[in-house]
Amino acid sequence: MTLEEILAARPSPGQPRAYNFPPFERTVMPSGLQVLAVHVPGRPLVSANLIFLSGAADEPADLAGATVLTARAMTEGTDRYPGLELIEAAERLGSTLHADASWDAFAASVEVAASRLRAALELLDELVERPTFPAEEVARLRDERLNDLLQMRAEPRRRVEQAFSQAIYTPESPYSRLAGGDESTVERLTRDELTAVHRALLSPERAALVVGGDLTGLDVPRLAEEVLGSLARDGSGALGTSAGSKSPLAGRIPVADAAVDRPIVRLYDRPGSVQSEVRIGHVGLRRHVPDFHAVQVMAAILGGLFNSRLQLNLREEKGYTYGVGAGFDMRRGAGPFGVRTAVQTAVTVPAISEALKELNRMRDTLVTDAELAVARDYLVGVFPLRFETPGAVVGAIGGLFVNGLPDDELARYRGQVEAVTAQDVRKAAQDHIHPDRLAIVLVGDADVVGKDLEAAGFGELEVIHDELPGEVDEPGAPQGDEEGE
Amino acid sequence: MTAPTVRFTDERLANGLRLIIAEDHLAPVVAVCIWYAVGSKNEVPGKTGFAHLFEHVMFQGSRHVAKTEHMGLVQAAGGTLNGTTWLDRTNYFETMPSHQLELALWLEADRMATLLDALNQENLDNQRDVVKNEKRSSYDNRPYGQWFHKLQEQLFPPEHPYHHPTIGSMEDLDAASLEDVAAFFRTYYAPNNAVLAIAGDADPAQARAWVERYFGEIAANPRIPPLGDVSLPPTLGAESREVIEDRVPLPRHYFGFRAPCFGDPRLEALEVACQILAGGKGSRLYRRLVRDERIAQDVAFFALGFVGGASIAAGQATVRPGVDPEVVERAFEEELERLGREPVTADELARARALIETFELEALQRVEERADRLAMLATLLDDPDLINRQLERYLAVTPAEIQAVAAEVFRPENRVVLTYVPAAGAARGQDEESAA
């Protein structure tokens, strides 16, 4: 055969190898702590993730940022390991201790050789049970956060995210804020607030330890009981919300995710910008939605796949942008739905028009069979790739715990995606994309794009002139703006 | 804990294509990675940014694959993919469910054999716009965005191919023609200028047969122009400094040094030094500048390995509000120079070794990383087996070797210092291009 004949014939796939999401075992400790262990054969590095169901969304407004700051301060020393000794002890195990808080949860995690799992768990236990929150380190971390807020204002990509959250949520919603807090609250945080946050989150009944890797010869529940069995029982749950609830979701007060339900067109002026950072969207969905899989397929076709409708239009046809995406950030409460892109300044208005067209088209017409097939086949086919490492498997199981999802959610995932029809996709778009209350938020050059934006008829334009970073000597001066990390 | 050995075969097809297959069946996934020995260092003046623009053209179709179809076919098969361009090379990779390996090989072969059949002005113009937007969003519209380009410019003399940025200049991108693209393809995208690595859940005999079938008949290019002499004096000779006004709220220093080439054991010693200097909260720079003296908001230090004359060792420190930037610079440089004066402690070295061991194991878990490393080591060093000796080489680095390389590299006359300062009330920044 000639090369031409060989290349002219497209190969067809072989027989797929069976794949199942690794099954995990659940043990509930006497303290109420759940231990979820997943054996991933042949993986000598073990991931361990200790999760507490208290996150930034549970904070009262005047403590915004306290949970994230608490997490960051927890690695700053414990009773037994003052100062950097905790970090150093972990490094001797070849591990880095991570502690961080999201909207929904606090998590401390470590990756370590299976043979050193006990020692690593002991450090995790130190970190969560006995942090000392030295006042001077808390002050330093607080100042670092304030400095980071200054940096954020100078970065169009971060600035626009903050502005977008502020546009789509009412001020009462925690999601209108930054998970890490802003100047108005962070400045006030001291070790007293952090100690209180820590006491509240430390409830074993609202906690899970997820461990994954090659667990041959390891009795994870027993290790967990021996190392973490003493986890204090006096945690009251999230600050000011669902104190003492037994199961992760039962009795929990839903976070306020109230939406601003009018169209907004808001431009943050950044003179000289060669691109406009653009966000278009509104409040989206919580993770608990009955049509989750249809939404996933719809979002892939709209703005998730490399060849999504938005990408084909704005990038591959028009060349307006290096990339454009769209999707739902699903949290325990309704996270944002948004189109995200950065476009050359001169084409800002046409790029927004095209994006709006694609949002409407998603609702108005059925996706083609080919579009549906690519999206479904991608989500189903890429599933084993997503879970190649124990870290990814542990992360996914942690997500089930945080969102209160059934144990077989991941095992059923591919079948449910395969069952999605074109009608389901259109219904998901009609139910969850709302062109009548879109916020269009930009960071760009108002001199160049302002007039066109006003004339475009997207809605009444608000132009906001940020204080330019540049002459700032001390953090804390700018008035509080919000973000949505 | 010992690192699992990566077993692989290493052979050449008759047309010069180097084929490396690393079989392992832990997960039902397989990675295909192809490295072409052409990067921005092969560009000539007036044609900067070309290797990278070309990488984009490689996704615009070939004789049997329509525009954007490469991406579509891989994703519909449940795969992930991308391509990247750097100073020394261009690479393309697909990670696939293992039963889709043949598709990835066919796609790579079709574009290596027939790319020019699909090349047209419309696609070139479109990707030129996309790349110009990539430049805007990755560099021009970002605070501190040009730091690496400025380091390149000052660490390498104008006639050296590392002097110019991989993304290129707007003028050169505008000037790129169809003839340029075609010539670039004919010159560099030949099987004898490529390494194809396959890692993961594959049957080696079957994979080899597919590679022979799809790539075996593609003609070699016997006249790939050599790069010429890119050797450099090991040090810069004189310190280079620049103060840059930008729309930034906090001043920041960037530091750059010429360093030993990729593959030189001294670079490995330097990488261990980087870990001790700035690898996390237990490191020297973090401890002193961020934690104890509280003069920096953040610190970083790392080495980027290159084969063409010198590597780059680089770092940064963001100055806290109210602190004199000179104080931060002095403290940073003192810590670098201290490494050259006195040996690291046994505990520091032990912690660095333990962390490097975990990083290596973590990275090599993934088939995509294994394929990429094998192709990289074959392309740049002709030594794919280094994948199995790399960790032990890191672990064997001694305090004396760290001290020696630090003393060689961290010298004032080998240093570039860029200091970004907030623009004095400037509304317009230094973005180099207004909307066209």
Side-chain angles (χ1 to χ4, degrees):
Chain A
M1 275 206 292
T2 65
L3 179 60
E4 169 55 29
E5 287 164 340
I6 289 165
L7 291 173
R10 290 191 177 190
S12 34
Q15 201 55 36
R17 199 175 121 189
Y19 174 83
N20 292 300
F21 187 82
F24 54 94
E25 283 189 25
R26 177 193 307 273
T27 315
V28 181
M29 301 285 112
S31 67
L33 173 72
Q34 299 188 34
V35 177
L36 307 173
V38 56
H39 178 54
V40 190
R43 301 299 187 186
L45 275 183
V46 171
S47 266
N49 205 350
L50 181 56
I51 305 166
F52 294 86
L53 291 177
S54 289
D58 302 306
E59 293 166 343
D62 61 346
L63 281 181
T67 310
V68 167
L69 196 64
T70 300
R72 291 193 183 147
M74 282 167 88
T75 51
E76 293 292 334
T78 68
D79 290 342
R80 205 187 315 167
Y81 298 94
L84 283 172
E85 286 182 30
L86 183 71
I87 297 290
E88 290 177 352
E91 288 183 352
R92 285 182 200 108
L93 301 175
S95 282
T96 309
L97 290 172
H98 295 282
D100 209 354
S102 65
W103 286 113
D104 295 324
F106 161 87
S109 62
V110 73
E111 195 154 283
V112 70
S115 58
R116 300 171 187 157
L117 179 60
R118 172 188 284 270
L121 288 180
E122 284 169 356
L123 295 180
L124 272 194
D125 176 58
E126 270 293 304
L127 179 154
V128 300
E129 286 208 66
R130 286 172 289 278
T132 49
F133 299 117
E136 71 274 20
E137 302 307 334
V138 171
R140 174 175 60 82
L141 293 170
R142 179 199 63 209
D143 290 347
E144 286 174 13
R145 170 64 185 169
L146 293 170
N147 295 335
D148 185 51
L149 289 164
L150 290 177
Q151 296 284 78
M152 193 196 69
R153 295 173 146 263
E155 276 180 47
R157 205 171 305 197
R158 294 180 69 196
R159 184 73 187 92
V160 76
E161 285 294 326
Q162 177 193 25
F164 181 58
S165 302
Q166 183 189 0
I168 64 175
Y169 290 99
T170 63
E172 298 76 43
S173 166
Y175 293 162
S176 71
R177 310 191 290 252
L178 294 164
D182 66 25
E183 293 87 347
S184 67
T185 56
V186 171
E187 272 182 358
R188 292 203 300 268
L189 298 175
T190 68
R191 78 178 301 270
D192 291 347
E193 285 77 30
L194 271 53
T195 306
V197 168
H198 173 243
R199 243 195 329 268
L201 76 81
L202 205 68
S203 160
E205 285 155 351
R206 301 167 49 78
L209 174 72
V210 189
V211 179
D214 195 321
L215 303 181
T216 307
L218 286 173
D219 184 343
V220 173
R222 191 166 148 193
L223 261 181
E225 182 58 27
E226 288 170 10
V227 177
L228 291 159
S230 65
L231 203 59
R233 284 158 177 271
D234 61 348
S236 55
L239 280 176
T241 58
S242 48
S245 68
K246 292 276 182 196
S247 89
L249 283 177
R252 191 180 159 88
I253 299 166
V255 296
D257 47 21
V260 171
D261 56 2
R262 62 181 174 90
I264 285 175
V265 185
R266 193 171 286 167
L267 168 64
Y268 289 75
D269 184 25
R270 184 173 181 270
S273 293
V274 293
Q275 282 189 324
S276 301
E277 278 284 350
V278 182
R279 302 291 181 271
I280 304 170
H282 48 60
V283 171
L285 297 169
R286 55 183 57 198
R287 176 60 183 82
H288 268 278
V289 282
D291 56 349
F292 172 79
H293 301 89
V295 173
Q296 295 302 108
V297 173
M298 187 268 286
I301 294 169
L302 173 66
L305 293 167
F306 192 88
N307 287 344
S308 70
R309 288 180 170 192
L310 285 164
Q311 277 270 109
L312 287 178
N313 183 340
L314 272 70
R315 172 180 153 127
E316 294 297 323
E317 188 183 323
K318 311 272 183 358
Y320 290 162
T321 179
Y322 178 50
V324 52
F328 292 82
D329 173 7
M330 296 175 171
R331 306 169 183 164
R332 294 179 66 136
F337 161 72
V339 176
R340 295 179 157 77
T341 190
V343 300
Q344 188 183 352
T345 297
V347 300
T348 301
V349 167
I352 293 170
S353 299
E354 291 303 319
L356 296 178
K357 248 186 242 172
E358 295 300 346
L359 293 179
N360 280 306
R361 188 157 71 99
M362 215 60 226
R363 292 165 46 95
D364 295 344
T365 56
L366 289 172
V367 297
T368 66
D369 290 346
E371 285 177 311
L372 181 64
V374 170
R376 281 194 317 215
D377 292 351
Y378 173 67
L379 294 173
V380 169
V382 83
F383 191 79
L385 274 66
R386 287 168 56 195
F387 302 114
E388 193 182 353
T389 63
V393 171
V394 164
I397 295 170
L400 298 183
F401 173 72
V402 169
N403 288 295
L405 292 163
D407 286 356
D408 63 351
E409 176 75 12
L410 291 161
R412 290 184 301 118
Y413 174 86
R414 285 174 294 166
Q416 299 206 252
V417 168
E418 271 166 355
V420 171
T421 67
Q423 283 75 18
D424 297 336
V425 169
R426 184 170 61 183
K427 181 157 185 357
Q430 288 170 344
D431 289 350
H432 307 308
I433 297 176
H434 307 293
D436 54 331
R437 53 178 164 92
L438 288 170
I440 301 172
V441 181
L442 305 94
V443 173
D445 189 333
D447 278 354
V448 182
V449 302
K451 277 208 176 66
D452 290 351
L453 268 175
E454 220 154 346
F458 298 140
E460 194 182 329
L461 175 69
E462 304 164 56
V463 180
I464 294 174
H465 297 278
D466 260 343
E467 193 175 312
L468 275 178
E471 297 102 29
V472 184
D473 288 323
E474 290 298 326
Q479 60 280 71
D481 265 279
E482 323 59 53
E483 80 188 85
E485 275 167 335
Chain B
M1 182 168 52
T2 50
T5 301
V6 179
R7 294 185 198 288
F8 63 91
T9 57
D10 181 8
E11 63 210 281
R12 271 187 199 278
L13 273 58
N15 60 10
L17 177 68
R18 189 167 187 174
L19 172 63
I20 296 172
I21 304 175
E23 174 189 13
D24 115 64
H25 303 287
L26 270 182
V29 301
V30 64
V32 171
C33 186
I34 187 158
W35 275 52
Y36 290 93
V38 57
S40 58
K41 73 177 175 189
N42 300 92
E43 294 163 351
V44 295
K47 297 193 190 301
T48 66
F50 214 80
H52 171 249
L53 175 61
F54 187 86
E55 174 217 313
H56 278 246
V57 172
M58 284 282 277
F59 293 92
Q60 293 294 304
S62 45
R63 188 182 302 161
H64 306 98
V65 179
K67 174 181 160 89
T68 72
E69 204 181 16
H70 186 106
M71 302 279 195
L73 288 171
V74 170
Q75 290 204 319
T80 60
L81 74 162
N82 217 329
T84 72
T85 309
W86 200 212
L87 280 63
D88 289 324
R89 53 68 181 170
T90 312
N91 67 1
Y92 302 86
F93 43 93
E94 294 85 22
T95 303
M96 310 291 282
S98 40
H99 66 290
Q100 297 279 8
L101 170 61
E102 190 182 0
L103 175 67
L105 295 171
W106 171 76
L107 283 165
E108 288 298 353
D110 198 57
R111 61 184 176 182
M112 189 194 283
T114 69
L115 183 89
L116 296 183
D117 288 26
L119 179 67
N120 61 46
Q121 191 67 46
E122 194 185 345
N123 289 351
L124 176 61
D125 289 345
N126 167 251
Q127 288 305 305
R128 189 200 326 269
D129 285 343
V130 170
V131 166
K132 287 165 75 174
N133 272 312
E134 179 176 0
K135 176 168 152 56
R136 292 182 187 104
S137 74
S138 300
Y139 309 104
D140 301 349
N141 210 39
R142 276 196 176 181
Y144 315 104
Q146 306 292 347
W147 70 271
F148 190 71
H149 301 159
K150 287 181 176 292
L151 283 189
Q152 282 182 268
E153 194 179 280
Q154 296 181 40
L155 284 170
F156 303 102
E159 65 279 8
H160 193 275
Y162 290 167
H163 180 78
H164 72 270
T166 300
I167 194 73
S169 73
M170 290 295 190
E171 302 73 52
D172 290 357
L173 290 169
D174 280 333
S177 69
L178 282 177
E179 296 69 47
D180 290 332
V181 173
F184 197 82
F185 177 75
R186 290 198 193 95
T187 305
Y188 294 111
Y189 279 71
N192 53 320
N193 203 36
V195 174
L196 172 62
I198 300 170
D201 186 24
D203 167 12
Q206 176 66 79
R208 189 173 293 112
W210 282 330
V211 171
E212 280 287 358
R213 172 182 169 86
Y214 292 118
F215 292 86
E217 302 299 319
I218 303 174
N221 176 13
R223 286 176 301 279
I224 296 170
L227 188 59
D229 181 14
V230 294
S231 63
L232 288 168
T235 62
L236 202 49
E239 186 186 45
S240 174
R241 306 181 66 88
E242 184 180 356
V243 177
I244 302 136
E245 288 197 0
D246 196 2
R247 279 179 295 194
V248 295
L250 299 180
R252 179 183 286 171
H253 298 296
Y254 286 97
F255 302 88
F257 301 84
R258 278 190 200 164
C261 284
F262 183 62
D264 185 325
R266 291 176 304 162
L267 185 69
E268 289 160 353
L270 189 66
E271 290 178 88
V272 178
C274 291
Q275 176 60 41
I276 291 169
L277 272 173
K281 291 183 178 176
S283 67
R284 287 184 176 190
L285 287 168
Y286 181 86
R287 191 184 298 248
R288 176 171 168 189
L289 275 72
V290 177
R291 197 171 202 278
D292 293 346
E293 297 184 6
R294 305 181 180 206
I295 54 178
Q297 166 78 359
D298 51 58
V299 292
F301 203 87
F302 48 88
L304 298 170
F306 302 116
V307 293
S311 296
I312 295 178
Q316 71 172 63
T318 306
V319 179
R320 270 210 180 201
V323 174
D324 181 354
E326 278 181 39
V327 171
V328 176
E329 183 188 340
R330 215 172 305 128
F332 200 101
E333 289 164 359
E334 274 172 22
E335 286 305 319
L336 298 191
E337 283 158 21
R338 184 158 74 91
L339 266 185
R341 277 201 318 273
E342 51 190 68
V344 298
T345 67
D347 184 55
E348 283 177 308
L349 187 57
R351 285 187 283 125
R353 284 175 176 164
L355 287 170
I356 288 170
E357 182 169 15
T358 302
F359 298 153
E360 286 289 297
L361 289 181
E362 203 285 328
L364 290 173
Q365 288 186 99
R366 286 170 291 117
V367 292
E368 183 174 298
E369 178 77 15
R370 288 203 292 275
D372 188 60
R373 286 217 193 175
L374 287 163
M376 169 181 77
L377 295 169
T379 304
L380 300 181
L381 302 179
D382 188 21
D383 185 12
D385 186 57
L386 186 54
I387 198 172
N388 290 320
R389 307 193 315 277
Q390 188 65 75
L391 178 57
E392 65 193 62
R393 280 171 57 156
Y394 282 132
L395 299 183
V397 167
T398 66
E401 288 164 342
I402 292 171
Q403 195 178 341
V405 76
E408 268 171 56
V409 171
F410 301 140
R411 309 163 76 91
E413 67 270 25
N414 188 36
R415 184 165 71 205
V416 175
V417 183
L418 308 173
T419 302
Y420 277 82
V421 296
R428 298 266 158 187
Q430 43 101 44
D431 308 284
E432 60 187 61
E433 138 123 346
S434 59

